[in-house]
Amino acid sequence: MTDRPLRFAPSVRIAAEGEPVYVVRSGATYRGVHARDVGNGLFVIRDSVRGVQIADIEVAGGYRVIENSSVPRAAGADCVGLRVRGARAADLRRSFARIRYASHDGVIEDVTASGTLTTGAHDLPVGIGFQDTAHDFRLERCTMRGFRWKRGDNKYWNGDGFSTERGNARFVFKQCAAWDNSDGGFDLKSSETLLDDCTSGRNARNFRLWSSIRATRLTSVNPQKIGGIGDTNHFAIMAAQGVREPLVIRIEHLAVQSDKAWPIFDVHDGPAHIIIGSHDIQVPPGTPLVRPRGKGSVPGGISFAGAPPKL
């Protein structure tokens, strides 16, 4: 392990043997690292840092590639201006990246990562997850696949491709995709979120949206019940009870493809306004356009710029 900023030659090969490897420092550039069996962080951000660049990375197996967790825990470890460009990772038990604290102004692009079926009691898998007050991140051309958490049949099976939490803000997902995750492809609670030409397929909930969002083109393909007690749908709109203003979901072009009649929009617990421009919806006859869950509702129905779909 090293804690000095490093600039690598064309390729560095590492057998991590389940341990964290590089403790990241401000201004460091990590390029051409090929590692296997990584522990909780091939790159560990445990102090406040700026201007870190990670590029051309390959990982075969392990726990997590980028871990942002401060030491001591109460200190915080904001990561400002993180740039991740070009990474491939396979067979990850927990995640590709966890970004926390007030980290901001980051770009993550051209990253492909896949998970494994996780069974640990606390190992909730998420391809790329943001927490605390992380804000102003842009993700482009990233694909997260197969982050699954197997539990008992009577329990909730979590496992997301991309996730943001309440307190996160100003995220852009451009040409990103999530496939084969046991819960949400995109499970987003952040405010001021833009989904720009994103695809989600074969997840239990392809898009799970907790806050108002704006989207250009969204494609939802064949939701798949993977296990546990959760719903299965194209879009889970997680509205809230007792609020003055409904969630507002704006989608310029909606593409839906399915060979089963899973609901297109499940609306939970409160009111939502859903505004659709153009659409291309190919689903079996009788597929529900909206299914209320609890006190969920769409007052006035979904607004379409043109003729609504015939289902």
Side-chain angles (χ1 to χ4, degrees), residues 200-279:
S200 193
R202 298 192 302 268
N203 310 281
R205 300 171 173 89
N206 281 339
F207 295 90
R208 195 176 189 205
L209 307 175
W210 302 72
S211 301
S212 296
I213 65 102
R214 181 169 64 90
T216 59
R217 178 185 178 91
L218 292 185
T219 300
S220 177
V221 180
N222 279 332
Q224 180 174 317
K225 179 74 170 182
I226 294 172
I229 60 174
D231 300 328
T232 305
N233 49 57
H234 292 272
F235 291 82
I237 309 301
M238 309 302 293
Q241 295 185 32
V243 296
R244 291 186 177 181
E245 299 295 332
L247 259 63
V248 179
I249 308 298
R250 298 179 182 269
I251 305 172
E252 293 176 14
H253 180 79
L254 173 64
V256 175
Q257 305 167 25
S258 184
D259 55 15
K260 294 185 178 180
W262 298 117
I264 296 177
F265 292 98
D266 264 358
V267 181
H268 290 249
D269 297 334
H273 285 172
I274 302 173
I275 303 164
I276 309 295
S278 57
H279 60 82

Side-chain angles (χ1 to χ4, degrees), residues 10-11 30-34 54-58 84-88:
S11 177
Y30 303 88
R31 186 182 302 275
V33 179
H34 297 182
I54 298 171
D56 303 327
I57 306 302
E58 292 188 12
V84 181
R85 292 188 171 96
R88 291 183 297 174

Side-chain angles (χ1 to χ4, degrees), residues 4-276:
R4 294 182 295 109
L6 294 176
R7 295 182 182 274
F8 290 114
S11 177
V12 173
R13 298 188 178 275
I14 297 168
E17 298 182 350
E19 296 294 332
V21 182
Y22 298 107
V23 177
V24 171
R25 296 292 184 244
S26 286
T29 296
Y30 303 88
R31 186 182 302 275
V33 179
H34 297 182
R36 58 184 174 85
D37 190 23
V38 301
N40 189 23
L42 175 58
F43 307 103
V44 179
I45 303 167
R46 66 183 189 186
D47 301 293
S48 294
V49 296
R50 289 178 172 270
V52 174
Q53 298 188 46
I54 298 171
D56 303 327
I57 306 302
E58 292 188 12
V59 174
Y63 192 77
R64 181 183 280 124
V65 179
I66 300 174
E67 168 66 311
N68 182 195
S69 188
S70 66
V71 177
R73 289 183 177 272
D78 302 345
C79 182
V80 179
L82 174 67
R83 298 291 184 269
V84 181
R85 292 188 171 96
R88 291 183 297 174
D91 299 327
L92 300 174
R93 296 193 305 277
R94 190 70 183 270
S95 68
F96 177 81
R98 175 166 64 172
I99 308 296
R100 307 169 70 184
Y101 313 106
S103 298
H104 60 91
D105 292 302
V107 176
I108 302 174
E109 57 188 9
D110 299 308
V111 173
T112 300
S114 65
T116 61
L117 187 64
T118 299
T119 59
H122 305 289
D123 287 345
L124 192 162
V126 176
I128 298 178
F130 296 88
Q131 299 178 9
D132 302 324
T133 59
H135 59 94
D136 293 281
F137 273 80
R138 184 179 186 88
L139 290 80
E140 294 195 30
R141 300 177 302 278
C142 294
T143 298
M144 298 293 119
R145 184 186 301 271
F147 288 89
R148 299 183 175 192
W149 192 17
K150 182 177 182 179
R151 310 182 74 202
D153 291 341
N154 62 343
K155 293 186 177 181
Y156 189 86
W157 289 30
N158 220 315
D160 302 322
F162 301 91
S163 75
T164 61
E165 297 295 335
R166 297 196 188 281
N168 298 146
R170 295 181 296 281
F171 281 76
V172 175
F173 297 86
K174 181 179 177 63
Q175 295 178 343
C176 292
W179 294 90
D180 304 311
N181 303 289
S182 57
D183 188 19
F186 293 77
D187 193 323
L188 306 178
K189 299 183 178 75
S190 50
S191 61
E192 300 177 76
T193 300
L194 171 64
L195 293 168
D196 184 4
D197 192 14
C198 292
T199 299
S200 193
R202 298 192 302 268
N203 310 281
R205 300 171 173 89
N206 281 339
F207 295 90
R208 195 176 189 205
L209 307 175
W210 302 72
S211 301
S212 296
I213 65 102
R214 181 169 64 90
T216 59
R217 178 185 178 91
L218 292 185
T219 300
S220 177
V221 180
N222 279 332
Q224 180 174 317
K225 179 74 170 182
I226 294 172
I229 60 174
D231 300 328
T232 305
N233 49 57
H234 292 272
F235 291 82
I237 309 301
M238 309 302 293
Q241 295 185 32
V243 296
R244 291 186 177 181
E245 299 295 332
L247 259 63
V248 179
I249 308 298
R250 298 179 182 269
I251 305 172
E252 293 176 14
H253 180 79
L254 173 64
V256 175
Q257 305 167 25
S258 184
D259 55 15
K260 294 185 178 180
W262 298 117
I264 296 177
F265 292 98
D266 264 358
V267 181
H268 290 249
D269 297 334
H273 285 172
I274 302 173
I275 303 164
I276 309 295

